[in-house]
Each structure stands twice: as C-alpha cells, then as structure tokens.
Amino acid sequence: MEDVPLPGTALADELDKKLLIQLRDGRKLLGILRSFDQFANLVLEGAVERIIVGEQYGDIPLGVQLIRGENVVLLGEIDPEKEVPAGLTKVSETEIKQAFKAERDMNKLKATLRQRMDFLDLE
C-alpha cells in the first residue's frame, strides 16, 4: 500500500523549498515555503510575483506573503536549474508592469468590441 500522508501534513515535504504557486486570480508567485496550516494557508518568504507578457517576463518583489489556502490552484517545487523560463527575456519591473497594463487594456478593448459585434451573428 502506498504511503498516504496524514491529514494536514501533505505539504511538510515542501517546507524550506522554493515553490511556484498559481493563484485563483491567475497570478503566479515564487517563494520559499516557511509554514502552512491545516487549511493550506501558506507563508512564503522572499516571494515575488512573476508576470509573463509575450516573450518577456519580470519578477516583482513582494517579501513575506501569507496566502489563503482557498486561493491556491496549484503549487510545485521549482528546479533551481530551470527557474528562468526558456525562451523568455527578463525585463525590469517597470517594463513588465507597463507591458502587462497594455495587454490588459487591449484585452478589455477586444472584449468590448466583441460585445458590440454580437448582434451581427456572423456564424
């Protein structure tokens, strides 16, 4: 029979390791897991938010973060040798914020245009 972790201890093997955590709102956080509780609330040390836009990425430092367990979609350990995404270029915090805002604004505009064009029934 496989070793099944005791309730509330499934994250114990991940303590003091660098993790990538995907949140329910789509954000990606990287940091070292320092603590957790029975509700999967997490404490990350040295956390950064990784933003990827096109072929660019940037890390925004956040420091120590407490993440409510219900907001975690998935998490996994990061291989230190593969921490930098292949094929992506690192840019400054300011540049990635500007690129992210531009992408978000463009997506809002596309959604608005789609709503206005719904009445045409192009199918």
Side-chain angles (χ1 to χ4, degrees):
M1 188 168 171
E2 293 181 34
D3 291 332
V4 178
L6 295 172
T9 63
L11 292 171
D13 291 341
E14 305 301 330
L15 280 172
D16 299 326
K17 294 182 181 173
K18 190 159 192 175
L19 302 179
L20 169 66
I21 300 170
Q22 173 99 26
L23 299 180
R24 193 167 51 175
D25 64 2
R27 291 184 296 158
K28 296 166 205 60
L29 302 181
L30 287 85
I32 299 171
L33 181 64
R34 292 299 184 200
S35 184
F36 67 92
D37 65 11
Q38 71 270 24
F39 303 109
N41 297 320
L42 310 173
V43 176
L44 285 185
E45 181 181 59
V48 297
E49 179 181 358
R50 176 153 294 166
I51 298 175
I52 300 172
V53 178
E55 294 185 3
Q56 299 178 331
Y57 79 96
D59 292 337
I60 300 171
L62 302 172
V64 175
Q65 292 287 297
L66 174 62
I67 302 168
R68 192 172 170 135
E70 67 182 24
N71 292 319
V72 176
V73 174
L74 85 113
L75 62 83
E77 185 178 355
I78 294 179
D79 183 348
E81 296 175 9
K82 298 180 181 177
E83 185 175 336
V84 177
L88 298 180
T89 307
K90 184 171 176 119
V91 296
S92 72
E93 183 179 336
T94 306
E95 289 176 291
I96 201 65
K97 283 182 177 180
Q98 290 172 350
F100 182 70
K101 183 180 182 322
E103 182 182 58
R104 189 179 60 219
D105 291 345
M106 184 172 42
N107 288 338
K108 282 183 184 177
L109 179 61
K110 285 180 184 178
T112 301
L113 289 174
R114 280 192 197 108
Q115 285 178 339
R116 291 181 181 177
M117 299 298 279
D118 276 347
F119 71 92
L120 290 177
D121 191 29
L122 298 172
E123 294 178 14

